[in-house]
PDB file of all heavy atoms in Angstrom:
ATOM      1  N   VAL A  96     -51.903  57.706 -20.437  1.00 97.00           N
ATOM      2  CA  VAL A  96     -53.060  56.813 -20.369  1.00 97.00           C
ATOM      3  C   VAL A  96     -53.589  56.462 -21.747  1.00 97.00           C
ATOM      4  O   VAL A  96     -53.326  57.198 -22.703  1.00 97.00           O
ATOM      5  CB  VAL A  96     -54.178  57.441 -19.496  1.00 97.00           C
ATOM      6  CG1 VAL A  96     -53.693  57.675 -18.102  1.00 97.00           C
ATOM      7  CG2 VAL A  96     -54.625  58.795 -20.136  1.00 97.00           C
ATOM      8  N   GLY A  97     -54.302  55.360 -21.825  1.00 98.00           N
ATOM      9  CA  GLY A  97     -54.867  54.966 -23.139  1.00 98.00           C
ATOM     10  C   GLY A  97     -56.075  54.087 -22.931  1.00 98.00           C
ATOM     11  O   GLY A  97     -56.407  53.703 -21.829  1.00 98.00           O
ATOM     12  N   SER A  98     -56.637  53.658 -24.059  1.00 97.00           N
ATOM     13  CA  SER A  98     -57.869  52.806 -24.003  1.00 97.00           C
ATOM     14  C   SER A  98     -57.558  51.428 -23.608  1.00 97.00           C
ATOM     15  O   SER A  98     -56.642  50.812 -24.143  1.00 97.00           O
ATOM     16  CB  SER A  98     -58.579  52.891 -25.371  1.00 97.00           C
ATOM     17  OG  SER A  98     -58.915  54.202 -25.694  1.00 97.00           O
ATOM     18  N   CYS A  99     -58.324  50.855 -22.728  1.00 97.00           N
ATOM     19  CA  CYS A  99     -58.223  49.480 -22.278  1.00 97.00           C
ATOM     20  C   CYS A  99     -59.620  48.777 -22.391  1.00 97.00           C
ATOM     21  O   CYS A  99     -60.649  49.411 -22.295  1.00 97.00           O
ATOM     22  CB  CYS A  99     -57.705  49.378 -20.841  1.00 97.00           C
ATOM     23  SG  CYS A  99     -56.088  50.063 -20.535  1.00 97.00           S
ATOM     24  N   LEU A 100     -59.508  47.489 -22.598  1.00 96.00           N
ATOM     25  CA  LEU A 100     -60.760  46.704 -22.718  1.00 96.00           C
ATOM     26  C   LEU A 100     -61.229  46.325 -21.380  1.00 96.00           C
ATOM     27  O   LEU A 100     -60.521  45.776 -20.593  1.00 96.00           O
ATOM     28  CB  LEU A 100     -60.466  45.401 -23.516  1.00 96.00           C
ATOM     29  CG  LEU A 100     -61.661  44.551 -24.051  1.00 96.00           C
ATOM     30  CD1 LEU A 100     -62.572  45.409 -24.909  1.00 96.00           C
ATOM     31  CD2 LEU A 100     -61.206  43.297 -24.725  1.00 96.00           C
ATOM     32  N   THR A 101     -62.477  46.761 -21.046  1.00 96.00           N
ATOM     33  CA  THR A 101     -63.108  46.443 -19.796  1.00 96.00           C
ATOM     34  C   THR A 101     -63.721  45.022 -19.719  1.00 96.00           C
ATOM     35  O   THR A 101     -63.838  44.364 -20.757  1.00 96.00           O
ATOM     36  CB  THR A 101     -64.176  47.509 -19.465  1.00 96.00           C
ATOM     37  OG1 THR A 101     -65.263  47.343 -20.388  1.00 96.00           O
ATOM     38  CG2 THR A 101     -63.597  48.944 -19.563  1.00 96.00           C
ATOM     39  N   LYS A 102     -64.099  44.618 -18.563  1.00 93.00           N
ATOM     40  CA  LYS A 102     -64.645  43.342 -18.358  1.00 93.00           C
ATOM     41  C   LYS A 102     -66.017  43.154 -19.088  1.00 93.00           C
ATOM     42  O   LYS A 102     -66.352  42.001 -19.421  1.00 93.00           O
ATOM     43  CB  LYS A 102     -64.942  43.066 -16.830  1.00 93.00           C
ATOM     44  CG  LYS A 102     -63.612  42.928 -16.075  1.00 93.00           C
ATOM     45  CD  LYS A 102     -63.897  42.715 -14.598  1.00 93.00           C
ATOM     46  CE  LYS A 102     -62.568  42.457 -13.785  1.00 93.00           C
ATOM     47  NZ  LYS A 102     -62.849  42.235 -12.335  1.00 93.00           N
ATOM     48  N   ASN A 103     -66.735  44.212 -19.370  1.00 95.00           N
ATOM     49  CA  ASN A 103     -68.025  44.099 -20.072  1.00 95.00           C
ATOM     50  C   ASN A 103     -67.791  44.198 -21.601  1.00 95.00           C
ATOM     51  O   ASN A 103     -68.794  44.269 -22.349  1.00 95.00           O
ATOM     52  CB  ASN A 103     -68.957  45.173 -19.564  1.00 95.00           C
ATOM     53  CG  ASN A 103     -68.511  46.600 -19.730  1.00 95.00           C
ATOM     54  OD1 ASN A 103     -67.506  46.850 -20.536  1.00 95.00           O
ATOM     55  ND2 ASN A 103     -69.129  47.567 -19.169  1.00 95.00           N
ATOM     56  N   GLY A 104     -66.582  44.236 -22.055  1.00 94.00           N
ATOM     57  CA  GLY A 104     -66.250  44.196 -23.492  1.00 94.00           C
ATOM     58  C   GLY A 104     -66.232  45.581 -24.153  1.00 94.00           C
ATOM     59  O   GLY A 104     -66.185  45.663 -25.390  1.00 94.00           O
ATOM     60  N   THR A 105     -66.283  46.627 -23.381  1.00 97.00           N
ATOM     61  CA  THR A 105     -66.153  47.946 -23.962  1.00 97.00           C
ATOM     62  C   THR A 105     -64.828  48.553 -23.769  1.00 97.00           C
ATOM     63  O   THR A 105     -64.091  48.117 -22.856  1.00 97.00           O
ATOM     64  CB  THR A 105     -67.196  48.907 -23.392  1.00 97.00           C
ATOM     65  OG1 THR A 105     -67.036  49.062 -22.005  1.00 97.00           O
ATOM     66  CG2 THR A 105     -68.647  48.382 -23.657  1.00 97.00           C
ATOM     67  N   TRP A 106     -64.444  49.493 -24.613  1.00 97.00           N
ATOM     68  CA  TRP A 106     -63.154  50.189 -24.473  1.00 97.00           C
ATOM     69  C   TRP A 106     -63.299  51.529 -23.697  1.00 97.00           C
ATOM     70  O   TRP A 106     -64.163  52.299 -23.923  1.00 97.00           O
ATOM     71  CB  TRP A 106     -62.524  50.499 -25.834  1.00 97.00           C
ATOM     72  CG  TRP A 106     -62.018  49.330 -26.556  1.00 97.00           C
ATOM     73  CD1 TRP A 106     -62.818  48.532 -27.422  1.00 97.00           C
ATOM     74  CD2 TRP A 106     -60.805  48.668 -26.485  1.00 97.00           C
ATOM     75  NE1 TRP A 106     -62.110  47.485 -27.843  1.00 97.00           N
ATOM     76  CE2 TRP A 106     -60.818  47.483 -27.393  1.00 97.00           C
ATOM     77  CE3 TRP A 106     -59.632  48.955 -25.798  1.00 97.00           C
ATOM     78  CZ2 TRP A 106     -59.688  46.731 -27.548  1.00 97.00           C
ATOM     79  CZ3 TRP A 106     -58.545  48.135 -25.946  1.00 97.00           C
ATOM     80  CH2 TRP A 106     -58.562  47.040 -26.787  1.00 97.00           C
ATOM     81  N   GLU A 107     -62.440  51.675 -22.681  1.00 97.00           N
ATOM     82  CA  GLU A 107     -62.468  52.936 -21.934  1.00 97.00           C
ATOM     83  C   GLU A 107     -61.046  53.360 -21.602  1.00 97.00           C
ATOM     84  O   GLU A 107     -60.183  52.573 -21.386  1.00 97.00           O
ATOM     85  CB  GLU A 107     -63.252  52.758 -20.591  1.00 97.00           C
ATOM     86  CG  GLU A 107     -64.732  52.553 -20.709  1.00 97.00           C
ATOM     87  CD  GLU A 107     -65.475  52.305 -19.423  1.00 97.00           C
ATOM     88  OE1 GLU A 107     -64.815  52.533 -18.373  1.00 97.00           O
ATOM     89  OE2 GLU A 107     -66.613  51.954 -19.425  1.00 97.00           O
ATOM     90  N   VAL A 108     -60.862  54.660 -21.546  1.00 97.00           N
ATOM     91  CA  VAL A 108     -59.545  55.240 -21.177  1.00 97.00           C
ATOM     92  C   VAL A 108     -59.280  54.898 -19.762  1.00 97.00           C
ATOM     93  O   VAL A 108     -60.111  55.193 -18.853  1.00 97.00           O
ATOM     94  CB  VAL A 108     -59.458  56.772 -21.451  1.00 97.00           C
ATOM     95  CG1 VAL A 108     -58.121  57.294 -20.952  1.00 97.00           C
ATOM     96  CG2 VAL A 108     -59.624  57.052 -22.922  1.00 97.00           C
ATOM     97  N   CYS A 109     -58.165  54.345 -19.427  1.00 95.00           N
ATOM     98  CA  CYS A 109     -57.810  53.939 -18.075  1.00 95.00           C
ATOM     99  C   CYS A 109     -57.628  55.163 -17.171  1.00 95.00           C
ATOM    100  O   CYS A 109     -57.406  56.272 -17.599  1.00 95.00           O
ATOM    101  CB  CYS A 109     -56.557  53.068 -18.076  1.00 95.00           C
ATOM    102  SG  CYS A 109     -55.051  53.947 -18.502  1.00 95.00           S
ATOM    103  N   GLU A 110     -57.748  54.943 -15.904  1.00 94.00           N
ATOM    104  CA  GLU A 110     -57.524  56.028 -14.852  1.00 94.00           C
ATOM    105  C   GLU A 110     -56.053  56.293 -14.821  1.00 94.00           C
ATOM    106  O   GLU A 110     -55.196  55.440 -15.202  1.00 94.00           O
ATOM    107  CB  GLU A 110     -58.025  55.535 -13.443  1.00 94.00           C
ATOM    108  CG  GLU A 110     -59.528  55.221 -13.429  1.00 94.00           C
ATOM    109  CD  GLU A 110     -60.440  56.385 -13.588  1.00 94.00           C
ATOM    110  OE1 GLU A 110     -59.880  57.568 -13.283  1.00 94.00           O
ATOM    111  OE2 GLU A 110     -61.531  56.270 -13.961  1.00 94.00           O
ATOM    112  N   GLU A 111     -55.740  57.495 -14.306  1.00 93.00           N
ATOM    113  CA  GLU A 111     -54.373  57.886 -14.183  1.00 93.00           C
ATOM    114  C   GLU A 111     -53.571  56.908 -13.282  1.00 93.00           C
ATOM    115  O   GLU A 111     -52.383  56.701 -13.515  1.00 93.00           O
ATOM    116  CB  GLU A 111     -54.267  59.334 -13.584  1.00 93.00           C
ATOM    117  CG  GLU A 111     -54.524  60.418 -14.684  1.00 93.00           C
ATOM    118  CD  GLU A 111     -54.118  61.788 -14.157  1.00 93.00           C
ATOM    119  OE1 GLU A 111     -53.371  61.816 -13.143  1.00 93.00           O
ATOM    120  OE2 GLU A 111     -54.557  62.755 -14.784  1.00 93.00           O
ATOM    121  N   SER A 112     -54.270  56.404 -12.285  1.00 93.00           N
ATOM    122  CA  SER A 112     -53.595  55.447 -11.364  1.00 93.00           C
ATOM    123  C   SER A 112     -53.130  54.168 -12.114  1.00 93.00           C
ATOM    124  O   SER A 112     -52.244  53.462 -11.648  1.00 93.00           O
ATOM    125  CB  SER A 112     -54.491  55.057 -10.190  1.00 93.00           C
ATOM    126  OG  SER A 112     -55.707  54.475 -10.715  1.00 93.00           O
ATOM    127  N   GLU A 113     -53.686  53.880 -13.260  1.00 93.00           N
ATOM    128  CA  GLU A 113     -53.396  52.754 -14.113  1.00 93.00           C
ATOM    129  C   GLU A 113     -52.561  53.147 -15.223  1.00 93.00           C
ATOM    130  O   GLU A 113     -52.194  52.219 -16.108  1.00 93.00           O
ATOM    131  CB  GLU A 113     -54.691  52.049 -14.567  1.00 93.00           C
ATOM    132  CG  GLU A 113     -55.590  51.533 -13.426  1.00 93.00           C
ATOM    133  CD  GLU A 113     -56.910  50.972 -13.949  1.00 93.00           C
ATOM    134  OE1 GLU A 113     -57.187  51.333 -15.116  1.00 93.00           O
ATOM    135  OE2 GLU A 113     -57.578  50.304 -13.193  1.00 93.00           O
ATOM    136  N   GLY A 114     -52.137  54.319 -15.355  1.00 96.00           N
ATOM    137  CA  GLY A 114     -51.346  54.899 -16.473  1.00 96.00           C
ATOM    138  C   GLY A 114     -49.864  54.463 -16.252  1.00 96.00           C
ATOM    139  O   GLY A 114     -49.466  53.849 -15.310  1.00 96.00           O
TER     140      GLY A 114
END
Side-chain angles (χ1 to χ4, degrees):
V96 296
S98 299
C99 297
L100 191 63
T101 64
K102 292 181 179 179
N103 60 14
T105 61
W106 290 91
E107 294 181 7
V108 176
C109 67
E110 300 291 337
E111 282 193 17
S112 60
E113 300 173 342

